Amino acid sequence: MVHVVDITDPADPRLDDFRDLNSSDRRPDLPEGKGLVIAEGVLVVQRLVESRFEPLALLGVERRLGELADDLVDVDVPFYRTTADVMAEAVGFHLNRGVLAAARRPAPLDLADVVADARTVAILEGVNDHENLGSMFRNAAGLGADAVLFGGACADPLYRRSVRVSMGHVLRVPFATVPDWPRGLSVLRDNGFQLVSLTPNPTAVPLAEAMTGEKVALLLGAEGPGLTEHAMRATDVRARIPMAPGTDSLNVATAAAMAFYERVRTG
Amino acid sequence: MVHVVDITDPADPRLDDFRDLNSSDRRPDLPEGKGLVIAEGVLVVQRLVESRFEPLALLGVERRLGELADDLVDVDVPFYRTTADVMAEAVGFHLNRGVLAAARRPAPLDLADVVADARTVAILEGVNDHENLGSMFRNAAGLGADAVLFGGACADPLYRRSVRVSMGHVLRVPFATVPDWPRGLSVLRDNGFQLVSLTPNPTAVPLAEAMTGEKVALLLGAEGPGLTEHAMRATDVRARIPMAPGTDSLNVATAAAMAFYERVRTG
């Protein structure tokens, strides 16, 4: 069980891992990012506790400690119990979720392990919006995709905003980096994956017809630029979501959801 | 063509329609909302100009005026030309999109007119998140849904954030209010629509099997509470998106996108 420590002074150094979260958000920003992982709110803290991430400490109000009691039975770290006001002063803003957990980043997962038993994975290139990354993991979890892989130039999926938007699923859905992008895609090919590029290009094959593999890896680029030609050339087929004329591409996480759905529907 | 008016004083009363946008966002917040509609950025201003919304005035920097020149040929209102600094001071924050248009709200569209030639519509209940509303319109536009209808307790789709997240599609995709909720759904029934509730309930019919009508109206509730039982009882079938165990429901705009996609795929 967590050991409850009452805190009355917002300057207490034991709260340093939770201090000024908005400014610690300005840390360097790479998929291999540094810094602690912060979970906000009861649901995300529950997911953190069940995940491969190990909490260092929690900070929250009495009510949230009560709500989390069953989840924290096997968690042997401090729970800094305080008031909403002290919490707001330490964190730097008012948090109406009332509880935070801080965790160290575990060692990155090995790409070969992540893809070994997977059937559907998303591979991202140039996706540098934390909200989109979070939505991607939420949609992957909801629609049963097995992993998210990072090709070139993506942002840190463990950034606080991304963790929050993912509803904690970034802590559950495995992710790994594809080295030597895009040549490293050979690992997927060697594991029997069909490599499918998603593109708004109207000459591409409709999504439902394009995904013919037993195992499918979906490549998605950032909104706007999309996938690089370099990456698309390394794939087996270019697929498009049928779009209405005169509209833009869908949000990248929504496009992925459409493909995940198609895999579930035909799976 | 717009008539260009140079402005050097951020306090100039001609900028009042654009003043302190963050605080004017705190206005009453209903689908029938008041207040001007604000379009931000070149793309959204272009969509405004092509829409049923009539601009009152534009405010922007020289560069954006140049980019919009072709779009503004038939627009007979002032373009207040100024610097990024004056703009930031009047608006209350720095806008890196460099151009704004303000428009009056046109008279609401008539529900019967909106559904007359429609094949796929979304009907929302309790969706009070402006970002979700914006995403809903973006997905409707991208995947060819014909209209968005408002049942009970939704927020204002013309709120600034909603307009921005929709990428201006809220100005293009027709919307109307269903009166006397949910009894007013009879208008859809009389027009030959199959009424389909979306629910995460695992006993519901899978989405792909549930949508059998030539015309389909999809009912969607807010994340969390979902549709009221009252609303679901007024529909023909309850449909679910196949979800992975132990996950939450999808974001409401993502769930709608899945259903729109299914309509395109089978249409």
Side-chain angles (χ1 to χ4, degrees):
Chain A
M1 188 65 195
V2 287
H3 22 286
V4 177
V5 179
D6 282 308
I7 302 270
T8 53
D9 176 7
D12 192 311
R14 289 173 290 185
L15 301 190
D16 282 356
D17 287 344
F18 301 99
R19 197 170 302 289
D20 297 330
L21 290 181
N22 278 336
S23 61
S24 62
D25 277 351
R26 289 182 217 113
R27 67 186 180 229
D29 186 22
L30 295 164
E32 301 78 16
K34 291 178 283 191
L36 297 175
V37 178
I38 303 288
E40 300 169 65
V42 168
L43 180 70
V44 181
V45 169
Q46 285 168 330
R47 291 200 168 133
L48 174 70
V49 167
E50 291 163 8
S51 77
R52 67 192 167 99
F53 292 76
E54 288 190 14
L56 287 170
L58 292 92
L59 167 64
V61 298
E62 170 65 23
R63 185 170 152 213
R64 301 304 178 206
L65 173 60
E67 290 170 5
L68 284 164
D70 290 347
D71 304 287
L72 299 177
V73 168
D74 296 325
V75 177
D76 188 27
V77 300
F79 187 109
Y80 299 118
R81 180 169 59 186
T82 187
T83 63
D85 285 347
V86 169
M87 221 175 138
E89 207 168 322
V91 167
F93 52 90
H94 182 75
L95 259 157
N96 50 20
R97 294 171 197 257
V99 66
L100 294 168
R104 247 188 232 108
R105 289 171 185 251
L109 299 176
D110 189 66
L111 176 60
D113 292 340
V114 168
V115 302
D117 296 316
R119 190 181 160 267
T120 304
V121 303
I123 308 182
L124 311 183
E125 185 190 44
V127 177
N128 53 17
D129 177 286
H130 296 110
E131 207 162 325
N132 285 347
L133 287 173
S135 301
M136 182 70 65
F137 278 87
R138 181 179 177 189
N139 293 347
L143 294 161
D146 301 298
V148 176
L149 306 179
F150 295 101
C154 292
D156 175 15
L158 296 174
Y159 198 77
R160 190 163 61 90
R161 181 159 182 75
S162 168
V163 175
R164 186 170 68 234
V165 172
S166 83
M167 300 184 75
H169 289 299
V170 69
L171 308 170
R172 299 175 76 219
V173 176
F175 62 87
T177 297
V178 179
D180 191 18
W181 181 254
R183 267 189 297 273
L185 285 169
S186 58
V187 176
L188 280 295
R189 210 183 286 280
D190 295 346
N191 275 272
F193 280 84
Q194 182 196 20
L195 299 175
V196 179
S197 291
L198 248 76
T199 164
N201 191 326
T203 67
V205 182
L207 181 61
E209 294 162 37
M211 296 193 297
T212 55
E214 174 54 33
K215 298 179 180 185
V216 169
L218 290 151
L219 275 76
L220 298 117
E223 282 176 66
L227 287 168
T228 60
E229 184 58 28
H230 202 44
M232 283 199 279
R233 281 212 188 122
T235 66
D236 300 307
V237 62
R238 300 182 190 205
R240 67 179 170 84
I241 292 167
M243 299 286 294
T247 59
D248 333 271
S249 63
L250 294 170
N251 168 287
V252 64
T254 307
M258 225 74 42
F260 299 153
Y261 168 77
E262 189 68 52
R263 288 287 287 166
V264 174
R265 193 183 63 78
T266 59
Chain B
M1 188 64 194
V2 288
H3 22 285
V4 177
V5 179
D6 283 308
I7 303 270
T8 53
D9 176 7
D12 193 309
R14 290 172 291 185
L15 302 190
D16 284 355
D17 287 343
F18 301 99
R19 198 169 301 289
D20 297 329
L21 290 181
N22 277 336
S23 61
S24 62
D25 276 350
R26 290 183 216 111
R27 67 187 181 229
D29 185 23
L30 294 164
E32 302 77 16
K34 293 179 283 190
L36 297 175
V37 177
I38 302 288
E40 299 169 67
V42 168
L43 179 70
V44 180
V45 169
Q46 285 169 330
R47 292 199 168 134
L48 174 71
V49 166
E50 291 163 6
S51 77
R52 67 192 166 97
F53 291 76
E54 288 190 13
L56 286 170
L58 292 93
L59 167 63
V61 298
E62 170 65 22
R63 184 170 153 213
R64 301 304 179 207
L65 174 60
E67 290 170 3
L68 284 164
D70 291 348
D71 304 287
L72 300 177
V73 169
D74 296 325
V75 177
D76 188 28
V77 301
F79 186 109
Y80 299 118
R81 179 170 59 187
T82 189
T83 62
D85 286 347
V86 169
M87 221 173 139
E89 206 168 322
V91 168
F93 51 91
H94 183 76
L95 258 156
N96 52 19
R97 294 171 195 258
V99 65
L100 294 168
R104 246 187 235 107
R105 290 170 184 250
L109 299 176
D110 189 67
L111 176 61
D113 293 341
V114 169
V115 302
D117 296 316
R119 189 180 160 269
T120 304
V121 303
I123 309 181
L124 311 183
E125 184 190 43
V127 178
N128 54 17
D129 177 287
H130 295 110
E131 207 163 323
N132 285 347
L133 286 173
S135 301
M136 182 70 65
F137 278 87
R138 180 179 177 190
N139 293 347
L143 295 161
D146 301 297
V148 176
L149 306 179
F150 295 101
C154 293
D156 176 15
L158 297 173
Y159 199 77
R160 191 162 60 90
R161 182 160 181 76
S162 169
V163 175
R164 186 170 68 236
V165 172
S166 83
M167 301 184 75
H169 289 298
V170 69
L171 308 169
R172 300 174 76 218
V173 176
F175 62 87
T177 297
V178 179
D180 191 18
W181 181 253
R183 268 188 298 270
L185 285 169
S186 58
V187 176
L188 280 294
R189 210 183 286 279
D190 294 346
N191 275 271
F193 280 83
Q194 182 196 19
L195 300 176
V196 179
S197 291
L198 248 75
T199 164
N201 191 326
T203 66
V205 182
L207 182 61
E209 295 163 34
M211 295 192 297
T212 55
E214 174 55 34
K215 299 180 179 183
V216 169
L218 289 150
L219 275 76
L220 299 117
E223 281 176 69
L227 288 169
T228 60
E229 183 59 32
H230 202 45
M232 285 200 277
R233 281 212 189 123
T235 66
D236 300 309
V237 61
R238 300 182 190 204
R240 67 180 169 86
I241 293 167
M243 299 286 294
T247 59
D248 334 87
S249 62
L250 293 169
N251 168 287
V252 63
T254 306
M258 225 75 43
F260 298 154
Y261 168 76
E262 188 66 58
R263 289 287 288 165
V264 174
R265 193 183 64 78
T266 57

